[in-house]
Amino acid sequence: MKIPSSHPRARSLRHREKIVQGVEQGITSTAGLIAHGRGETFDYLLGEKTHSFARKALQTATAALLTARHPVISINGNVAALLGKELALFSNRWNIPLEVNIFHHTKTREKRLVSYLKKCGAKKVLGSGSGRSKIIPSLAHARRKMHLDGIAKADVVFVPLEDGDRCQALMKMGKKVITIDLNPLSRTARYATITIVDELTRVFLNLEKSMETLHRKSPRFLKAILQSYNNRNILRLAEQTLRRRI
Ligand code: PTJ
């Protein structure tokens, strides 16, 4: 579908179209349509803009990625559909592997996602094959499988659009979890080390700039950012903003 740029909701419609295409290509689950709609609702209520609480969380997430020994980005069907090419560029530029790890699991979709990300240009994509042999203790669903060179080894796991129980399980394993979730009340938002309450594609635009700026700073400077961060305060500010706007 052609969406004219003059349409007042062109950006939002384009995102919908990408998610629909993702489902048609078999990389996004049908449940991904519902998850996207939920995200849209929160974005609408938050004014479809990046707030200061999200900027603070983004800066801290940047510091966490830059100081990590083994960072990894966990990819699901919605994230790939909305940001495939951008993620590939980001992953290559910062040498952070992508790992496909999906909730509504089928082997076919997993393979399609891996090859889609490679087609987008990503050099290091994990997630299918024999390397996926480590198990997250205490998780029953398909997301419990981790790749040895990815999430299993990682000290910082970036999991945009996550489901809460894996986030909690990863935290229990001593990993730092960064997430993006427009719903500040979700379990993921509450469990994560750093929650960016903002829309996924806006976050990645800002993250690229933030990485370029902060990678020149000293480890001491970056650690100070991490130490001064309080996720509970960030979520409180997000929730207050949401309530005020409603
Ligand atoms: O590909 P799979 O099988 O791994 O499935 C992926 C989804 C996203 C369908 C799955 O993880 C899921 O069901 O997620 P939830 O539990 O619906 O959570 C998704 C969260 O992301 C919700 O809190 C939404 O508000 C939020 N969200 C959705 N779209 C966006 C978003 N947050 C930021 N930006 C978005 N574009």
Side-chain angles (χ1 to χ4, degrees):
M1 185 184 134
K2 270 222 150 162
I3 298 155
S5 303
S6 56
H7 192 288
R9 302 207 49 78
R11 191 179 147 82
S12 166
L13 291 176
R14 280 196 192 112
H15 288 166
R16 278 190 186 183
E17 202 53 28
K18 282 188 176 182
I19 293 283
V20 170
Q21 274 169 15
V23 174
E24 286 166 357
Q25 281 172 263
I27 59 168
T28 306
S29 70
T30 45
L33 296 165
I34 300 167
H36 185 77
R38 184 146 59 142
E40 270 191 348
T41 311
F42 279 102
D43 202 25
Y44 192 84
L45 292 173
L46 282 164
E48 296 176 320
K49 64 175 195 179
T50 301
H51 291 268
S52 56
F53 49 78
R55 285 191 200 286
K56 177 73 189 155
L58 179 100
Q59 185 200 41
T60 311
T62 312
L65 290 172
L66 289 169
T67 52
R69 279 188 312 277
H70 298 293
V72 65
I73 307 177
S74 177
I75 305 292
N76 65 30
N78 285 47
V79 175
L82 287 172
L83 277 178
K85 289 202 180 92
E86 294 81 350
L87 277 165
L89 283 174
F90 186 84
S91 164
N92 296 346
R93 163 74 179 91
W94 300 104
N95 198 22
I96 303 177
L98 306 177
E99 177 166 344
V100 172
N101 186 289
I102 50 180
F103 183 69
H104 306 93
H105 184 267
T106 67
K107 275 246 169 297
T108 313
R109 191 156 72 91
E110 187 180 273
K111 278 191 191 149
R112 275 195 193 132
L113 273 163
V114 170
S115 58
Y116 176 72
L117 292 166
K118 285 187 178 161
K119 228 191 277 165
C120 286
K123 290 189 182 131
K124 192 147 191 203
V125 187
L126 308 164
S128 61
S130 57
R132 243 179 120 239
S133 55
K134 273 260 180 185
I135 300 287
I136 302 178
S138 77
L139 268 198
H141 55 73
R143 276 192 139 174
R144 72 186 186 281
K145 284 197 177 171
M146 310 176 270
H147 198 285
L148 286 171
D149 295 328
I151 295 171
K153 185 161 99 174
D155 51 342
V156 174
V157 188
F158 191 2
V159 281
L161 315 197
E162 172 66 337
D163 62 293
D165 54 350
R166 184 175 67 142
C167 176
Q168 193 180 20
L170 291 171
M171 296 282 291
K172 270 195 200 148
M173 293 171 75
K175 298 175 189 296
K176 282 196 184 102
V177 178
I178 303 168
T179 195
I180 300 170
D181 196 332
L182 277 157
N183 176 6
L185 305 170
S186 79
R187 280 185 312 142
T188 303
R190 301 206 161 254
Y191 290 141
T193 320
I194 302 163
T195 306
I196 307 168
V197 183
D198 199 1
E199 198 278 323
L200 181 77
T201 60
R202 280 201 303 272
V203 173
F204 267 85
L205 273 177
N206 291 329
L207 182 63
E208 190 54 62
K209 291 180 208 151
S210 180
M211 292 285 280
E212 290 294 348
T213 310
L214 287 188
H215 91 282
R216 294 190 185 88
K217 303 284 183 190
S218 67
R220 209 166 148 208
F221 182 90
L222 298 175
K223 280 188 186 136
I225 293 177
L226 285 167
Q227 274 157 11
S228 69
Y229 183 76
N230 183 325
N231 206 46
R232 272 201 193 160
N233 284 348
I234 291 296
L235 291 175
R236 208 181 44 234
L237 289 171
E239 191 179 333
Q240 279 169 1
T241 305
L242 196 57
R243 287 183 191 280
R244 204 173 45 240
R245 288 187 54 88
I246 291 169

